[in-house]
Amino acid sequence: MTLRSSCSRSFTRAIITFVVARTLPGLLLPLLLGFAVPVAAEPAAPGFTVRLLGSQRPFDSRDLIGKKVLVLRFQASWCKPCAKESAALTRVAQRYRARGVEVLAVHVQDTAMDAQRFVREHEVAYPVALDPRLTIANHFGFKGTPYTVVVDRRGEIVARIHGESVVRRLPRLLDGLVANPPQDGIARAKPALERR
């Protein structure tokens, strides 16, 4: 019995030594590199072009890089929280328009007729586009309506907010983005990604 347990202890030690020897470099290298590599940027927002509702004018998100902050609001005419927050979102859009913020509502899984009715009934004062097949929404990690994405002037996603009450949280986030516009080569504080 002593021989058997001695062999199994040696075998166990050999396996542990092998696993540690193979795993440790794999763990140490990323840790060491993590200290040498600068902090990664926020994820870049995918570019998109969409035609605005009731207009022939295309909206190209890439035109805003370096110029404006973009608030994308994925909503729908059948979404009760979207309707409930529409007036507040209009106020946010009007308040921040002159400060370099563009609000764009993207109606998902909606028809042009239903989206136009929503715009009329809720007196929407920000541009609206259609995304009936979730082509744009899925590129932004769409999780259901309402879903809001904030893209800074560098074209980086700085917030993804799912659910209601976004209009209460947006002003603080936007104030931080428009108060100190980022300059190339200068570090800046980025708002944390918000998830609900």
Side-chain angles (χ1 to χ4, degrees), residues 8 24 67 78 89 95 132 137 142-143 168 174 178-179 182:
S8 40
L24 196 54
K67 300 173 190 168
W78 42 263
L89 187 60
R95 175 178 169 194
F142 180 68
K143 297 178 181 181
R168 287 197 310 260
L174 294 176
V178 297

Side-chain angles (χ1 to χ4, degrees), residues 8-180:
S8 40
R9 272 186 288 201
S10 296
F11 182 70
T12 303
R13 257 190 242 130
I15 289 175
I16 291 172
T17 303
F18 175 77
V19 169
V20 169
R22 298 282 295 175
T23 308
L24 196 54
L27 293 173
L28 283 179
L29 187 59
L31 286 175
L32 293 174
L33 289 176
F35 293 113
V37 176
V39 176
E42 299 293 349
F48 65 92
T49 302
V50 67
R51 192 173 59 84
L52 298 177
L53 192 65
S55 167
Q56 294 301 321
R57 182 174 66 106
F59 179 94
D60 190 336
S61 66
R62 293 165 288 237
D63 291 342
L64 301 182
I65 294 176
K67 300 173 190 168
K68 292 187 175 188
V69 172
L70 174 62
V71 176
L72 280 173
R73 171 67 166 210
F74 294 98
Q75 60 186 28
S77 62
W78 42 263
C79 168
K80 288 184 178 22
C82 301
K84 184 172 118 183
E85 291 187 336
S86 182
L89 187 60
T90 293
R91 288 190 297 275
V92 167
Q94 291 171 335
R95 175 178 169 194
Y96 287 93
R97 184 174 291 131
R99 295 175 68 188
V101 175
E102 183 75 35
V103 174
L104 173 66
V106 180
H107 275 247
V108 295
Q109 298 175 320
D110 231 339
T111 66
M113 188 182 310
D114 289 338
Q116 287 169 339
R117 182 180 39 79
F118 183 94
V119 168
R120 273 192 318 275
E121 286 177 3
H122 298 285
E123 300 175 4
V124 171
Y126 43 85
V128 176
L130 289 177
D131 186 16
R133 294 190 179 123
L134 303 175
T135 307
I136 297 166
N138 286 334
H139 287 297
F140 284 92
F142 180 68
K143 297 178 181 181
T145 58
Y147 183 65
T148 306
V149 177
V150 179
V151 179
D152 70 7
R153 286 185 177 100
R154 291 183 181 211
E156 297 171 351
I157 297 173
V158 294
R160 300 171 196 249
I161 308 165
H162 181 246
E164 294 181 66
S165 76
V166 69
V167 290
R168 287 197 310 260
R169 293 187 262 169
L170 268 178
R172 184 171 9 119
L173 180 64
L174 294 176
D175 285 340
L177 290 171
V178 297
N180 300 313

